[in-house]
Structure formats: structure tokens, C-alpha cells
Amino acid sequence: TGFVNFYGTQRIGTASFQGAMSYKVGFHILRNEFEVAALMLLSPLPIPPAFDLLKDKLPPHCKKLSYTAETLIEFIESNRDKASASKCLRKLTNVKGFTKEKTVLKGFLRHKCWKKAIMTLPFHTRNMLVHAYQSYIWNKVASIRIKLFGAEVVAGDLIS
């Protein structure tokens, strides 16, 4: 018997508070759907309703996350023109992190084109997003293999 290697969430991405799973963004980049990829990258996951109820009692870093999420949602729900991108970026200036989001917004402001905005991300970041989708596909195929044949070695398996 052997074991099947899977890629972990550090490779594929997790549904974190800060946004879309990496593999979904990579999927849209591969399909040349750059606006969808950019908006997914900019989209925070929904803020739990309890977050609003506890806003006054939250530690400072959580308040910044809430503020950042609200700022990004405001941009996505706007007409997404240069003025709204500029306003969003101004609001995020003093927020630590969110480098990918800020880079895409700056790229959009500079080029007024979602493809060029995505291309302003460093090569290794874009590459990581596409590789996340490849890893996701590997995990899906490996899962199907296990369902069909179990953990036993079968003809066609790579073993060493």
C-alpha cells in the first residue's frame, strides 16, 4: 500500500477573511477573465453578522479588517471607475497588508484595464495563483483515484 499526495491549503488557498481562495482567482486568470479575477481578488468574504454587533468591543486589528472589507465592498458595488478606485485606494493607504489588493487598484488606476491591473502583480504572485488552480485540479483527480481504487497500488501509479 501507499499514500496519495495532496496539496495543502497553503498551496491552494483558504477561505480567509481577506478574500477569495487563490485557486479561483488563478482559474479566471487562465481563462483570460481578468476583470472577474481582479474583483475576486478584491472581494472579502462576507463579514459575519456578529462582527457588526461587536464592532465597539473588537480589538484594533479586527476593526481594521472590518473597515478594509467595507472599503473593498464599497468599491466593488460602485461603478468601478477611476474615481471610485482612487477613493478606495486612499482609504486603504494607512491599512497594513492587503498588498495584492492595493497593487491591483493602483494598476487599474494607471491603465484603466483589468488585464493590465492583474499584470501589475509580481510575476511570482500571478504564478502562485495559477499554480494554486493546478494544485486544486491535482487534488480533485487524486480524490477520484482514491474513490475508484482505494489506497492500494494499481497499474499506472507512480511509486518509488
Side-chain angles (χ1 to χ4, degrees):
T1 67
F3 63 91
V4 179
N5 285 318
F6 284 92
Y7 288 101
T9 55
Q10 75 280 2
R11 176 76 179 242
I12 295 173
T14 58
S16 70
F17 181 80
Q18 288 183 318
M21 296 177 83
S22 300
Y23 79 90
K24 291 181 179 181
V25 178
F27 171 77
H28 291 290
I29 289 173
L30 283 171
R31 292 180 52 95
N32 290 323
E33 297 170 346
F34 295 103
E35 182 175 5
V36 176
L39 294 178
M40 286 189 84
L41 192 70
L42 293 170
S43 297
L45 292 177
I47 302 168
F51 219 78
D52 283 337
L53 298 174
L54 300 171
K55 247 184 194 168
D56 297 333
K57 297 177 174 110
L58 291 173
H61 72 281
C62 289
K63 287 179 184 174
K64 279 187 181 176
L65 284 177
S66 177
Y67 171 78
T68 304
E70 289 168 4
T71 301
L72 291 168
I73 290 167
E74 184 180 306
F75 170 71
I76 290 164
E77 291 177 348
S78 73
N79 57 4
R80 296 190 297 274
D81 59 4
K82 256 184 145 173
S84 58
S86 183
K87 179 181 174 186
C88 181
L89 196 54
R90 267 194 318 276
K91 286 182 168 185
L92 296 178
T93 300
N94 295 323
V95 176
K96 286 186 179 179
F98 296 90
T99 306
K100 291 189 293 273
E101 293 85 347
K102 291 175 188 176
T103 301
V104 168
L105 284 168
K106 287 176 187 174
F108 180 72
L109 280 171
R110 187 176 312 123
H111 303 290
K112 189 67 172 93
C113 167
W114 289 112
K115 178 180 180 178
K116 290 179 180 178
I118 288 287
M119 297 307 278
T120 61
L121 289 167
F123 174 77
H124 66 87
T125 302
R126 295 189 319 268
N127 206 24
M128 182 264 319
L129 293 167
V130 171
H131 285 177
Y133 183 65
Q134 292 170 327
S135 301
Y136 171 78
I137 295 299
W138 171 269
N139 284 358
K140 286 292 186 190
V141 171
S143 295
I144 292 168
R145 186 255 178 252
I146 289 173
K147 283 180 186 172
L148 292 174
F149 304 109
E152 297 302 314
V153 177
V154 295
D157 283 349
L158 295 175
I159 56 172
S160 59

